[in-house]
Every structure is written in structure tokens, then in C-alpha cells.
Amino acid sequence: MSSFKRFGLVLMSSSAALALNGCSGASDVASPGAGSVVINVPTTPTTPPTTPTTPTAITAAQFAAATTVNDITITAEEQLALVNAGTNNNVNGTNMLNGVYPTVATSLTPAMDPSTINAFFTSTNFVGALNGPTDTAFQGWTCNSTTADFGGSGARCTSVPAIGSGGATAVCPTGTIDDGVLMNGTASTGFKACRLPTVITGTLNLPKIAGVFYRLRGQTEVGTDVGTTGADSGAVLNIEPGVVIAADSTEPTSDLLLVNRGAKINAVGTVANPIIFTAQANLITNGVSDAVQGQWGGVILLGRAPVGVCAAGTGPNNAAGTSTTCQQAIEGVTGRFYGGPTAADSSGNFQYVQIRFSGIAISDGNELQGLTLGGTGSGTVIDHVQSHNSSDDGVEIFGGTTNMKYMVMTGADDDGFDIDNGYRGFIQFMITAQKSTGATADSFSTEIDSNNAEDLFPRTFGRYANFTFIQTALAPAAIRLRGGADMTFVNGIVKTPATVGCVNIIAGQQTAGGRTTVRPADAALQDVGPPVFNSVYFSCQGR
């Protein structure tokens, strides 16, 4: 959030069961993405199982951080009691993770069936993102690093992607610009650079061609903004499995890919051939290290789904998100807007994608992440996405209704999952593994907000299922929940280092019904009541 971000241009080149019918407007929250997700059958043996120990009971002050905003405090004792009011939570857990994997095959605490919350969720019988030490669901399409090693056939994040040979004689496809050959060290041949135009109109296809990568230079946009209710622009960017897109950080402008409202991106990779967005330095042998961040601006998708925070002179919005004027400017660029009344809006498909070494903090509250979503709708399909080594958030979601599965945030220097501005949706199979040396202070595995105007409509409303949060930053906690946002957390594992709590629940506004974020349900305010935690295994304070 803006009040907790870092200043300065960063360009680093160095190395539940909760029924939704209790929520007014719940049918408008979001619809499931296309297709079904298969939980892979474990096949590869790893570390022998260990047995959990019985630690001393955690104190409230160790478990939760109390933060006062506008003279309002939710005490640590109240936060611990709220979590203990849930079902099958273990607040006294010890470290039962080997990297991102559980060390035992059995669930660390009895799981609940998240499909009882909404049909979007896959039914599971385990907590955390991975079903024991031999689950292969995150292998192959991710890259491995010192932050998180998923095993399998996945390459190192620092390795040159598999572009292939033949670049010297390769021909750039129609609609791209031949930018010559990028040499790789002392190799006699290199990779052909086919640059994307600054503005993509019509349909541009990026096929997988041996020896070819596609270059981003400066702010590259798909389509032009059609406004809150305009018809699709007809601009579509199609990217084939295995394609590599690299940002040219040798020039001074911020390199990024932005998909405007009314345009679409179809970037659909596969387990064996993910699509990779990265920095050009990553195409040179030993060109990047595990410490490199902030080489380019990342990917921004903008849509016409409802948002809760409207720019001056637009809005306000209502609980159903029907305002045709409410819109907001996206962070990190100038004059590009998101939002509208179309909850089912589609910005395309973004699947089996890696985003490496991105993120630029321009000023307080004005950052580029790995992946930025602004008002994208439930028709947008996003799954199997890894953001690696963003110098800001892994993903930030501003409003909208897009559901997601298999989301991996590794090495982010700020928050892993940051949601606000009236986002209403579901996310399942989530991993946040912050930098192994510790992210910037006051950075969270997830930060959930409503931007301090805590009764704006639509109210931020999210449901997390099967998540693994590995916190390293010396922040108040791994989970920060504030701004009156409505959340349910099920089937999770939360691990924090010494001196860091697990939850930090904040209210900044008092109404007749009580403090936002934890007050009783109030249909008139689209408020379904205090947050819910069920089947979450907490290993706090380095225990």
C-alpha cells in the first residue's frame, strides 16, 4: 500500500466453511476460470518425514501485531481469539517445511473442503499449496532459485532461457522489428531480437522460433484505452508456448508491457514450455544473479470490471459495481486507467508464465510490480504464474473480479500478494517465498487493504485457499489485513522468522456497528463480518 512503500527509482543490476450467500451481492463476486485444475500425484521421494514437536503455547503478543490507526486498535489478544474461533487452526506450530515443501505426507492440520466456499475452488484434503513432500504440481513451469527450489526439470531463474540456436539467420515474424543479433558472451552466434512495436493494433502473433526472442523497449502497449464501457479495440497479442520476451534495460525508459482496457493478451504456455518475460541481461550467460531485481517494469493488465476507489471526478461506485464513470489511474505509468461496470470482462488468458527480475518503485505509492492487475474481470483467466525477484510486489491487484490458481511469488522485495481497491475474488494454490536474506522491512507475504476509505463500494472481498506463506522480512507479520476488507483464509501454512508475528489485523474506522475489519456483518455496508481462519497451520516467531 502507498503508505508502506519505498521511495526511489530502483534499477538493480547487482547480483470458509463460509457461505457466500451471507454477503450482499455475492453472486457478483466472480465466476470460476475456464477448465479444471488437476492435483498431480506425488512421484518423487524427497526428505524423510519428521515428527512435529509440542512447543510452549504462543502468547498473543508473539502471534499478532497490534497497530493503531486513527486511534483505533485491534489488540493482539483479540486477533489471537479471532483465529482460535476458527476450526482446526494450529497457532502453536513449529517449522514443518523443507523449503516450500511440507516435510510430512499427512496434512499438518485437518483440512477443510474449499469447494464448499465456491465451486471455483478445487476440493483438497491438505493444508498449504503443496500436498506433501512429493507433490509435483509446481514443477517444470517454475524456475528455481535460492529463494525457492521446486525441483523437477525447472531451470534456474538465473539460467539463460531455452531460446534455441539459429538466431543469425532467423526471420522476424510479421509485425515485429528486426533488431539484429544479441551476442551471448564469446559465442559466435547469438539470439535474433525481434522488437515489439510501441503500440500493438489488430492481432500480433509471437510464434516460438528457434534462436529468436522478442524485445520490449520502453512502454509497450496492446491497444488503446476504450474507457469504462467502450467496445473491444480488437487489439490482441498472442504468445506461443516457450516464447521468451526480454526487456531492453540498456536504454533509459521504463520497459513494460501494458494491455489496455478493451484489448487482450493470450499468453498460454505449458508445463514444459512456459512463456518467460525477463530482463535482457538474463539472456547472457552469468548475466544475472539470484540477487538481481528491478531490471524492468513488468506486465500490466487493465480491464473494465468494478473498482472501489474512483479517481477525482468519477464515481462513486455502488455495491454491485454498476458505475459507468468510476475509474482509477494505474500505478507506475501516466494516463492509463482501469475499471468499469463489467464484472465478467476479459483481458485474455495468462497461463504458465514466468516474470523474472522486474519491479520498479518510482515514488511512494507509484510502483511497477511483477504482475499488476487493474480492474480485470472474471472472464480473465490467470493461473500457473510465477513472479520472481520483483523489486516491489510480486503481484498487486487493484479491484476487479479475476480468480486465480497456482500463483507463485518468489524473491519479492515488497509484498507477495497485494490486493486492494475493491478486489472481489478467489485465489487457490498460492506460494509466497520472500527473499532468502529478507525482503525490505514492512513487507508482507500478503497485504490486503481498502485504501483507508473503508466503506467504499465494492468492498474488498477475498478468499484464499491452500496457501504457503514463507515470511523473511522483519515486518509486523506475514498477513496484514486492514481497511475493512472481508477475507477468509483456509488450508494454509504460515511461517515467520524470530520477532515476526503471523497476523496483523487493523481497523482505521469506527462505525455504529464497531471497528471496520472486525465488526459484525452489515448487509447495508456489504460487510460479511470479521475475517475467518479455518485449517491454518501457523509457525510464528521462528518456532
Side-chain angles (χ1 to χ4, degrees):
M1 305 308 158
S2 59
S3 60
F4 295 93
K5 303 290 188 181
R6 301 169 310 289
F7 289 91
L9 175 63
V10 179
L11 288 173
M12 299 180 64
S13 59
S14 64
S15 350
L18 177 65
L20 294 184
N21 59 8
C23 173
S24 175
S27 61
D28 297 324
V29 171
S31 61
S36 61
V37 178
V38 177
I39 304 298
N40 293 314
V41 177
T43 58
T44 308
T46 56
T47 305
T50 58
T51 304
T53 59
T54 303
T56 304
I58 198 167
T59 67
Q62 291 170 327
F63 181 78
T67 302
T68 300
V69 175
N70 299 330
D71 296 323
I72 299 170
T73 305
I74 303 172
T75 68
E77 290 75 15
E78 289 176 300
Q79 295 178 58
L80 178 58
L82 188 152
V83 172
N84 280 330
T87 302
N88 292 326
N89 296 312
N90 185 341
V91 299
N92 293 304
T94 58
N95 179 24
M96 294 295 292
L97 293 176
N98 177 22
V100 295
Y101 285 89
T103 59
V104 294
T106 56
S107 183
L108 298 186
T109 191
M112 69 164 287
D113 182 358
S115 68
T116 60
I117 298 176
N118 187 273
F120 170 77
F121 290 118
T122 299
S123 178
T124 56
N125 61 359
F126 59 92
V127 302
L130 288 146
N131 186 11
T134 59
D135 189 345
T136 61
F138 285 84
Q139 292 182 4
W141 58 273
T142 54
C143 62
N144 295 319
S145 67
T146 54
T147 297
D149 193 328
F150 298 95
S153 59
R156 302 291 297 180
C157 299
T158 54
S159 298
V160 175
I163 296 172
S165 59
T169 58
V171 176
C172 289
T174 300
T176 65
I177 303 157
D178 190 329
D179 251 4
V181 176
L182 175 70
M183 304 306 293
N184 183 0
T186 59
S188 58
T189 59
F191 304 134
K192 174 62 66 70
C194 298
R195 179 161 44 93
L196 303 188
T198 302
V199 178
I200 296 168
T201 59
T203 299
L204 178 61
N205 299 314
L206 303 184
K208 172 67 174 175
I209 301 173
V212 167
F213 76 94
Y214 297 94
R215 174 178 280 163
L216 288 177
R217 180 174 290 161
Q219 185 167 312
T220 301
E221 303 188 37
V222 182
T224 55
D225 186 20
V226 300
T228 59
T229 59
D232 284 358
S233 65
V236 180
L237 176 61
N238 297 316
I239 307 174
E240 289 188 356
V243 161
V244 175
I245 301 175
D248 183 9
S249 53
T250 62
E251 45 79 44
T253 58
S254 294
D255 305 312
L256 59 98
L257 178 66
L258 183 149
V259 180
N260 278 297
R261 290 184 291 191
K264 289 182 171 60
I265 183 171
N266 294 310
V268 182
T270 65
V271 172
N273 294 288
I275 292 165
I276 299 175
F277 290 86
T278 191
Q280 196 164 285
N282 194 194
L283 307 190
I284 305 298
T285 302
N286 299 321
V288 293
S289 72
D290 272 342
V292 167
Q293 296 176 302
Q295 294 290 292
W296 64 293
V299 178
I300 301 172
L301 308 184
L302 305 179
R304 294 164 291 186
V307 299
V309 181
C310 310
T314 75
N317 217 334
N318 58 23
T322 61
S323 172
T324 59
T325 59
C326 177
Q327 64 178 8
Q328 183 59 276
I330 196 64
E331 288 185 1
V333 297
T334 302
R336 299 295 181 268
F337 291 84
Y338 62 93
T342 309
D345 192 43
S346 174
S347 297
N349 301 276
F350 205 70
Q351 301 169 279
Y352 295 98
V353 175
Q354 296 175 19
I355 304 171
R356 303 180 183 178
F357 309 114
S358 63
I360 299 174
I362 296 170
S363 61
D364 181 33
N366 188 26
E367 299 94 3
L368 295 168
Q369 341 308 315
L371 176 63
T372 301
L373 304 179
T376 57
S378 61
T380 306
V381 178
I382 299 180
D383 61 68
H384 295 86
V385 176
Q386 179 182 17
S387 172
H388 177 69
N389 275 27
S390 167
S391 67
D392 200 68
D393 300 332
V395 58
E396 185 158 11
I397 308 170
F398 298 93
T401 56
T402 302
N403 300 317
M404 287 161 265
K405 283 181 178 174
Y406 291 100
M407 303 294 291
V408 183
M409 308 296 128
T410 54
D413 202 30
D414 198 357
D415 308 318
F417 295 88
D418 190 341
I419 66 174
D420 50 35
N421 285 30
Y423 170 69
R424 299 179 68 79
F426 310 114
I427 310 178
Q428 187 178 24
F429 307 118
M430 311 164 64
I431 293 177
T432 289
Q434 290 182 314
K435 294 169 59 180
S436 56
T437 55
T440 302
D442 214 49
S443 299
F444 303 85
S445 291
T446 186
E447 185 172 30
I448 301 155
D449 202 355
S450 288
N451 286 68
N452 204 35
E454 301 186 8
D455 284 327
L456 291 178
F457 292 141
R459 182 177 301 282
T460 297
F461 172 103
R463 301 293 181 256
Y464 287 174
N466 293 100
F467 56 90
T468 299
F469 292 157
I470 302 173
Q471 177 83 16
T472 62
L474 299 182
I479 298 173
R480 164 165 279 174
L481 173 58
R482 61 181 177 174
D486 284 320
M487 289 295 298
T488 290
F489 304 84
V490 302
N491 293 357
I493 299 172
V494 181
K495 174 188 173 184
T496 71
T499 76
V500 176
C502 277
V503 300
N504 178 215
I505 302 174
I506 303 170
Q509 189 171 307
Q510 181 87 28
T511 67
R515 295 162 295 175
T516 53
T517 314
V518 296
R519 68 190 173 194
D522 187 338
L525 295 174
Q526 201 183 22
D527 189 341
V528 301
V532 173
F533 294 82
N534 286 323
S535 299
V536 182
Y537 185 89
F538 294 95
S539 172
C540 315
Q541 298 283 345
R543 293 158 67 96

